[in-house]
Amino acid sequence: MNRSEGMNYAPKGKPAPVVGPGEFVIAAVALDHGHIYGMCNGLVEAGSTLKWVYDPDPAKVNAFCHAFPQVRAASSEAVILSDPEVQLVASAAVTNLHCALGLRVLASDKDYFTDKAPLTTLTQLAQARNAVRQSGRKYMVYYAERLHQEAAVFAGQLVEQGAIGRVIQVLGLGPHRLNAASRPDWFFKKSQYGGILCDIGSHQIEQFLYYTGATDATVVRSQVANYNHPDYPELEDFGDAMLVGDNGATQYFRVDWFTPDGLSTWGDGRTFLLGTEGFIEIRKYVNLGTHNGSSDHVFLANQSGEFHYEVAGKVGYPFFGQLIKDCLHRTETAMTQAQAFKAAELCVKAEMQAARIGMDS
Amino acid sequence: MNRSEGMNYAPKGKPAPVVGPGEFVIAAVALDHGHIYGMCNGLVEAGSTLKWVYDPDPAKVNAFCHAFPQVRAASSEAVILSDPEVQLVASAAVTNLHCALGLRVLASDKDYFTDKAPLTTLTQLAQARNAVRQSGRKYMVYYAERLHQEAAVFAGQLVEQGAIGRVIQVLGLGPHRLNAASRPDWFFKKSQYGGILCDIGSHQIEQFLYYTGATDATVVRSQVANYNHPDYPELEDFGDAMLVGDNGATQYFRVDWFTPDGLSTWGDGRTFLLGTEGFIEIRKYVNLGTHNGSSDHVFLANQSGEFHYEVAGKVGYPFFGQLIKDCLHRTETAMTQAQAFKAAELCVKAEMQAARIGMDS
């Protein structure tokens, strides 16, 4: 588990290849966000062959080649999109460009695996849905805070086993460390990063759909603020929202950029799952105040008692192998396309509807 | 710290009398909720002389006299209200009767200290405000989840010291164990208990006002549900709300009756205070999954690091001594009347505005 800041969050797990060398060939295009490392780690550990990388910035390409010595630097995006061996393109472009790149990837008859948020407008969403329909290809999303987080995976297994009955609420806290000096310009431009509810909020909404089984939801309240960063007027340093699912379950989440320097990791991310027969708390990246240094703590209380599971290194990341097999067999076990797009739709809507609050309100 | 269910929550602290025997005489009237024990404990530990008790139910009076051997059973409420020695009447009536009793107490020229929620309708609120204005007496409220909770008191001290900068959000979880079989009938009648946001939500809103310093707020979303108790159709087993304060700070809280039997206490109450310079988490009644048996855990993260404070037995409950002195000196150090009523107003409004959600929605 990488304990550095969220922008370079790139978990390493136990390799569990589902295919042999050359059986599933991937490429990395657009290295604007460090998440590309986690995305490629996950796919390579699951057996993917990482053939190509492309980004217009040679420094980013060099760093990537250093991390993945097996990869070749392509001279253009077109080299990759025209290579018939490449089955999937992974990318972490500037957020508002995720969709345009995805449309090009799908038009090249390859599957697409993008960093979150997968898109930033409803127009892009319509284009993406249309492209998936026409191409039959996948537009999958790296919702890392569940997919690449062993405690979140384990909590899903507990829910599936009925440990807390029916899940009636998902409550998520997604604080992040800002590290403003290390961020690129686009990070502070709302038209590019999409707003806080769209950006880091997308993780939260995907988790709501996953843990409750809701297939649709209504954003009943959302709000954003810039409480304390006047130097970055387009930054939203706080956002929160309430959603009600089509199955009656509900969600609250808060995201923010207020992780203090003294915290031992980039954010004290939490998820609380309230069920009819018990509840689960996930302390994703740190067990606050214990200084035990490990991530991935899951707490369960139900009829049988209180339980604490430390699952770092014990659960793995089944998403990546499932995604590879989904691409090979045209199935939807890792995540349905509908769920990936629904989370995207709801986070864009949450952002569009958001009331602006703050100390000046 | 009493580890039994919330309905009998009656913390005992270090006695810290602010007055001598006979200097501040109180009486207990209406013992419908076990909170009356905590209320009287707190006042007696702070030096009050508990002179009288009255309730129409002799069994309740007997139990109370057993707990407080110094008290005398009065033959009627009138005996108490006409006793010029009595300076304050504490009571835990059925919730929708809190106000009527308060009006009688104030009309008798005594201060009133009621269990939460202090009232259940805006009409009652207008009557209560009017009675306070006319009598000059206090209509104070036992918002126990802060006032009688050392971790919550300690967190307030940290905030006051500037440990987390300006508080921008208060997020509260107030789960409670239902114990349906042990509850009186009125507990399941909405017109009597007032609804979940009014009842146990009132604690939450008072904390928001206190920790952020907001003097008013808008309920921007509230919702209630009966997810899993069809045998009690008027019970709301879930409620949550978002408020925005007049100073721009915001609140989210959830209250519910889903504490599972296996939890070691009646509810895993939490409060998260998000500040511009750090955050605080209060684990009020249990440090989940640690089996350490103690309540009152406060966690702080700020520029200086991560800290865990175990404060049970170390902080005390300054509210009660302050309240006694406020009554004697006609000051407002324990809590302003405005804050007590504002929390009441907002919890009634949250309840009135609440959308009904649930598995049938």
Side-chain angles (χ1 to χ4, degrees):
Chain A
M1 170 60 61
N2 182 324
R3 311 268 301 164
S4 70
E5 55 170 314
M7 73 179 293
N8 293 320
Y9 181 62
K12 292 199 179 183
K14 222 175 295 184
V18 298
V19 289
E23 284 181 40
F24 190 72
V25 177
I26 67 170
V29 172
L31 312 178
D32 293 284
H33 196 296
H35 281 160
I36 192 68
Y37 290 90
M39 298 165 72
C40 290
N41 275 350
L43 287 168
V44 167
E45 285 173 358
S48 299
T49 299
L50 178 57
K51 181 173 180 183
W52 293 111
V53 60
Y54 175 72
D55 189 277
D57 178 352
K60 289 199 181 78
V61 170
N62 283 342
F64 190 85
C65 291
H66 186 76
F68 297 98
Q70 73 271 39
V71 81
R72 287 155 62 189
S75 58
S76 71
E77 180 186 299
V79 167
I80 292 170
L81 296 187
S82 61
D83 179 351
E85 274 194 3
V86 173
Q87 286 152 289
L88 177 145
V89 173
S91 62
V94 173
T95 315
N96 70 324
L97 303 179
H98 286 172
C99 182
L101 175 53
L103 298 180
R104 296 196 297 276
V105 171
L106 270 59
S108 308
D109 206 27
K110 302 177 189 316
D111 292 313
Y112 183 50
F113 181 44
T114 178
D115 190 21
K116 61 77 218 171
L119 42 87
T120 57
T121 70
L122 294 181
T123 303
Q124 291 175 4
L125 177 63
Q127 293 171 332
R129 281 193 165 128
N130 189 49
V132 165
R133 212 177 298 120
Q134 294 192 337
S135 67
R137 288 289 166 184
K138 293 178 185 295
Y139 190 118
M140 282 289 116
V141 186
Y142 184 59
Y143 293 115
E145 294 187 19
R146 180 176 69 82
L147 306 175
H148 223 166
Q149 218 291 315
E150 290 182 286
V153 173
F154 183 70
Q157 295 168 352
L158 289 176
V159 168
E160 202 158 314
Q161 291 158 19
I164 60 168
R166 194 175 54 190
V167 178
I168 57 183
Q169 194 205 31
V170 177
L171 188 153
L173 303 181
H176 287 62
R177 182 169 286 143
L178 184 57
N179 273 331
S182 72
R183 301 285 182 181
D185 283 353
W186 64 266
F187 183 87
F188 298 103
K189 294 188 177 142
K190 185 165 176 181
S191 64
Q192 295 189 282
Y193 78 88
I196 192 170
L197 296 173
C198 177
D199 176 18
I200 51 181
S202 62
H203 290 295
Q204 300 289 334
I205 295 177
E206 192 278 333
Q207 288 171 86
F208 168 61
L209 298 176
Y210 171 72
Y211 287 121
T212 65
T215 58
D216 202 353
T218 304
V219 178
V220 293
R221 171 73 184 180
S222 60
Q223 49 191 28
V224 296
N226 181 328
Y227 277 117
N228 207 37
H229 296 89
D231 291 350
Y232 301 100
E234 292 192 42
L235 176 72
E236 294 164 351
D237 60 20
F238 178 98
D240 65 350
M242 282 169 79
L243 283 76
V244 178
D246 58 358
N247 60 354
T250 184
Q251 174 183 35
Y252 170 79
F253 72 87
R254 181 190 91 202
V255 284
D256 69 77
W257 291 103
F258 283 107
T259 293
D261 289 348
L263 194 80
S264 57
T265 187
W266 56 269
D268 185 6
R270 307 275 186 108
T271 310
F272 293 85
L273 306 176
L274 179 65
T276 52
E277 312 296 332
F279 64 92
I280 289 170
E281 176 186 0
I282 310 171
R283 299 184 193 153
K284 293 191 169 188
Y285 312 113
V286 58
N287 191 6
L288 181 64
T290 61
H291 305 286
N292 84 345
S294 73
S295 59
D296 295 279
H297 295 261
V298 178
F299 296 80
L300 165 68
N302 61 13
Q303 303 304 100
S304 309
E306 294 177 20
F307 307 94
H308 174 194
Y309 306 94
E310 303 195 56
V311 301
K314 296 180 186 165
V315 177
Y317 310 109
F319 171 81
F320 298 94
Q322 290 169 349
L323 177 59
I324 291 171
K325 289 200 269 187
D326 281 348
C327 291
L328 291 173
H329 308 313
R330 312 317 294 169
T331 51
E332 293 204 309
T333 55
M335 182 183 298
T336 64
Q337 186 62 65
Q339 181 171 315
F341 277 152
K342 184 54 72 176
E345 174 189 330
L346 292 168
C347 74
V348 169
K349 286 181 172 171
E351 189 72 43
M352 290 170 64
Q353 294 173 216
R356 178 85 185 189
I357 62 169
M359 289 306 172
D360 47 1
S361 70
Chain B
M1 170 61 59
N2 182 323
R3 310 267 303 164
S4 69
E5 55 171 314
M7 71 180 295
N8 293 321
Y9 181 62
K12 292 198 179 183
K14 223 175 294 183
V18 299
V19 289
E23 285 180 40
F24 190 71
V25 177
I26 66 170
V29 173
L31 313 178
D32 293 284
H33 197 295
H35 282 160
I36 192 68
Y37 289 90
M39 298 165 72
C40 291
N41 275 351
L43 287 168
V44 168
E45 285 173 358
S48 299
T49 299
L50 178 58
K51 182 174 179 183
W52 294 111
V53 59
Y54 174 72
D55 189 278
D57 177 353
K60 289 198 182 77
V61 171
N62 282 342
F64 190 85
C65 291
H66 186 76
F68 297 98
Q70 73 271 39
V71 79
R72 287 155 61 191
S75 58
S76 71
E77 179 186 299
V79 168
I80 293 170
L81 296 188
S82 62
D83 178 350
E85 273 194 3
V86 173
Q87 285 152 288
L88 176 144
V89 173
S91 62
V94 173
T95 315
N96 70 326
L97 303 179
H98 287 172
C99 182
L101 175 53
L103 298 180
R104 296 196 296 277
V105 170
L106 268 60
S108 308
D109 207 27
K110 302 177 188 317
D111 292 313
Y112 183 50
F113 182 43
T114 179
D115 189 21
K116 62 77 218 171
L119 42 86
T120 57
T121 69
L122 294 181
T123 304
Q124 291 175 4
L125 176 64
Q127 293 172 331
R129 282 193 165 128
N130 190 49
V132 165
R133 212 176 297 120
Q134 294 192 336
S135 67
R137 288 289 167 183
K138 293 178 185 294
Y139 189 118
M140 282 288 117
V141 186
Y142 184 59
Y143 293 115
E145 295 187 17
R146 180 175 69 85
L147 306 174
H148 222 166
Q149 218 290 316
E150 290 181 287
V153 173
F154 183 70
Q157 295 168 352
L158 289 176
V159 168
E160 203 157 314
Q161 291 158 19
I164 59 168
R166 194 175 53 191
V167 178
I168 57 183
Q169 194 205 31
V170 177
L171 188 153
L173 303 181
H176 286 62
R177 181 169 287 143
L178 184 57
N179 272 331
S182 72
R183 301 285 182 179
D185 282 353
W186 64 265
F187 183 87
F188 298 103
K189 294 188 177 141
K190 184 164 177 181
S191 64
Q192 295 188 282
Y193 79 88
I196 192 170
L197 297 173
C198 178
D199 176 18
I200 51 180
S202 62
H203 291 293
Q204 299 289 334
I205 295 177
E206 192 278 333
Q207 288 172 87
F208 168 61
L209 299 176
Y210 172 72
Y211 288 121
T212 65
T215 58
D216 202 353
T218 304
V219 178
V220 294
R221 170 73 184 181
S222 60
Q223 48 192 26
V224 296
N226 181 328
Y227 277 117
N228 207 38
H229 296 89
D231 292 350
Y232 301 100
E234 291 192 42
L235 176 71
E236 294 164 351
D237 59 21
F238 178 98
D240 65 351
M242 282 169 79
L243 283 77
V244 178
D246 58 358
N247 60 353
T250 184
Q251 174 181 34
Y252 170 79
F253 72 87
R254 181 189 90 201
V255 284
D256 68 77
W257 292 103
F258 283 107
T259 292
D261 289 348
L263 194 80
S264 57
T265 187
W266 56 270
D268 184 6
R270 307 275 185 107
T271 309
F272 294 84
L273 307 175
L274 179 66
T276 52
E277 311 296 332
F279 65 92
I280 289 170
E281 176 186 1
I282 311 171
R283 300 184 193 154
K284 293 190 168 188
Y285 312 113
V286 59
N287 191 5
L288 181 64
T290 61
H291 305 285
N292 84 344
S294 74
S295 60
D296 295 279
H297 295 262
V298 178
F299 296 81
L300 165 68
N302 61 13
Q303 303 305 99
S304 308
E306 295 178 21
F307 307 94
H308 174 194
Y309 306 94
E310 303 195 56
V311 302
K314 297 179 185 163
V315 178
Y317 311 110
F319 171 81
F320 298 94
Q322 290 169 347
L323 177 59
I324 291 171
K325 289 200 270 187
D326 281 348
C327 291
L328 292 172
H329 308 313
R330 313 317 294 170
T331 50
E332 292 204 309
T333 54
M335 181 182 300
T336 65
Q337 187 62 65
Q339 181 171 315
F341 278 152
K342 184 54 72 177
E345 175 189 329
L346 292 169
C347 74
V348 169
K349 286 182 172 171
E351 189 72 43
M352 290 170 65
Q353 294 173 215
R356 178 83 184 191
I357 62 169
M359 289 307 172
D360 47 3
S361 70

